[in-house]
Amino acid sequence: MYKNLLQQIANTIFINIQHVKQSGLLEGKLGIALFFYHYAKYTQNEMYSNLSDSYIEFIYDKLGKDSSLSFSKGIAGIGWGLDYCIKQGFVESDDDDDILEEVDDMIKQLSYTNFTSDLEDEIPLFTKGLYFLQRGKNEIILETLVDCSKFLELINNEYISISYLNSIFYFINKTVELNIDTELSNLLINKLFINYSQNIQINTPSITDRFILSRNIENIANPDIRKEWRKMLPLENDVQSDLFAIAGVDFLYKYSDSNNRTYNVKDISPLIKDKIHNLNENELSIYNGLAGIGLEILQLA
């Protein structure tokens, strides 16, 4: 059903990849490598996995030169992507383990007072939380959960972007799923409720933020807490009107209901064709780009 769309996406990325200057996960070559690894598996065509291998080598060469810890463009996102590739069986783990241990050490040094630096990114995401969830380091995840509590006390009544709060919300939900101090996690979800209530009054959430928030709400483990959150925000969303941004961010947020969505090819095909015909170099990777929607479709295919 999605075969032709995926081929159009792959061909377009392939012939335009030289325009992508960044290495990062959401806005660079690493995100494209993830798409081609999955597409190679889907098509059984090793050419695409070989392409991804070459991108990974390029990223290795530049990793030490990238001083940014940013999740979307920097070391944290690259570490997340490399760990993802290992766990998916796309790359061997022997050489990567040493590199990822070094990244672990760098990201572990981030304290709750550093979290505000995430807010300076174009795509504000909870760097430390997302990274260590992927790494599966439960001891550090617990430390990060405690840091979350301190951070929410620190910001108190300050305005924080809904995108960043969504990222923290997802992290806390996953700690409950992992059975890591559920009492503290439920306490923090209640604290987040106050932050969201204040911030939504200041700025109307984007379609993408509303979509991610609604998924976070529906994945709250405690039914009583979930019921209260549902009163905050209508859950209906015109997903297709912000399809590319949603697909890019949603790739990071893995819930058990992630594969329950379907897209009508007749509805999304014009959107993808329009993106291809009016393409710029920032629209090839995962965030708001072809690789992101390609990954989303591959999950369904």
Side-chain angles (χ1 to χ4, degrees):
M1 178 166 64
Y2 300 112
K3 183 177 179 181
N4 290 337
L5 274 180
L6 286 167
Q7 187 171 14
Q8 289 178 54
I9 290 169
N11 290 346
T12 303
I13 295 174
F14 177 72
I15 63 177
N16 289 282
I17 184 65
Q18 71 273 14
H19 299 303
V20 178
K21 307 303 181 188
Q22 296 186 37
S23 302
L25 174 64
L26 296 186
E27 299 179 275
K29 285 186 169 67
L30 181 54
I32 291 172
L34 299 190
F35 167 72
F36 276 136
Y37 275 134
H38 280 288
Y39 188 63
K41 187 175 180 180
Y42 173 73
T43 59
Q44 298 295 302
N45 188 336
E46 289 187 3
M47 180 190 79
Y48 296 106
S49 60
N50 291 337
L51 276 173
S52 290
D53 289 343
S54 68
Y55 301 154
I56 294 294
E57 288 181 19
F58 172 83
I59 291 163
Y60 277 160
D61 291 340
K62 291 193 66 179
L63 186 56
K65 303 171 187 175
D66 193 337
S67 59
S68 168
L69 294 180
S70 162
F71 192 89
S72 63
K73 297 179 181 179
I75 290 171
I78 290 172
W80 187 102
L82 294 177
D83 186 81
Y84 178 90
C85 286
I86 291 168
K87 289 174 178 171
Q88 291 288 324
F90 295 144
V91 299
E92 297 293 332
S93 62
D94 294 345
D95 295 332
D96 300 333
D97 283 343
D98 291 340
I99 295 172
L100 288 174
E101 290 293 339
E102 291 179 19
V103 178
D104 289 350
D105 291 340
M106 286 187 278
I107 306 302
K108 189 178 179 180
Q109 297 308 311
L110 292 173
S111 74
Y112 70 95
T113 56
N114 302 127
F115 291 173
T116 51
S117 63
D118 289 336
L119 301 172
E120 298 170 6
D121 288 342
E122 182 182 346
I123 312 167
L125 296 169
F126 183 28
T127 292
K128 190 173 183 178
L130 292 179
Y131 175 78
F132 282 115
L133 277 178
Q134 174 61 34
R135 292 287 281 144
K137 305 247 177 177
N138 285 9
E139 183 178 339
I140 306 177
I141 291 172
L142 176 57
E143 293 173 8
T144 306
L145 186 66
V146 174
D147 279 344
C148 266
S149 179
K150 295 176 181 177
F151 176 70
L152 292 177
E153 291 290 341
L154 178 68
I155 62 172
N156 198 13
N157 295 322
E158 293 180 34
Y159 172 76
I160 299 293
S161 76
I162 300 295
S163 175
Y164 194 65
L165 290 177
N166 277 341
S167 194
I168 291 177
F169 198 164
Y170 170 76
F171 169 77
I172 296 171
N173 268 351
K174 298 301 282 188
T175 63
V176 175
E177 188 178 303
L178 294 167
N179 199 29
I180 299 175
D181 201 337
T182 55
E183 183 178 350
L184 177 57
S185 296
N186 286 329
L187 177 65
L188 293 183
I189 289 174
N190 288 329
K191 283 186 177 181
L192 274 179
F193 186 89
I194 298 171
N195 289 100
Y196 273 100
S197 300
Q198 294 169 337
N199 289 348
I200 286 173
Q201 292 176 12
I202 297 172
N203 278 319
T204 302
S206 68
I207 293 171
T208 303
D209 287 339
R210 287 167 61 89
F211 173 78
I212 299 299
L213 174 56
S214 69
R215 287 198 61 215
N216 282 332
I217 291 172
E218 292 309 300
N219 283 278
I220 295 174
N222 186 305
D224 294 328
I225 298 177
R226 190 189 319 130
K227 183 178 179 181
E228 288 303 308
W229 273 88
R230 281 174 172 167
K231 297 175 184 177
M232 179 188 296
L233 190 69
L235 300 183
E236 295 81 9
N237 284 290
D238 180 14
V239 172
Q240 290 184 179
S241 65
D242 207 12
L243 180 65
F244 292 92
I246 286 173
V249 177
D250 193 40
F251 176 69
L252 302 174
Y253 298 145
K254 302 297 184 186
Y255 285 121
S256 58
D257 62 351
S258 292
N259 293 325
N260 291 344
R261 293 189 303 282
T262 58
Y263 295 111
N264 187 313
V265 172
K266 290 183 180 179
D267 292 335
I268 67 171
S269 183
L271 298 175
I272 292 173
K273 288 180 179 177
D274 182 67
K275 175 75 80 174
I276 289 172
H277 292 150
N278 298 284
L279 195 67
N280 66 57
E281 64 187 58
N282 299 320
E283 296 178 328
L284 292 170
S285 195
I286 288 182
Y287 181 71
N288 203 31
L290 291 176
I293 189 60
L295 285 165
E296 179 91 343
I297 293 171
L298 280 166
Q299 286 189 77
L300 306 176

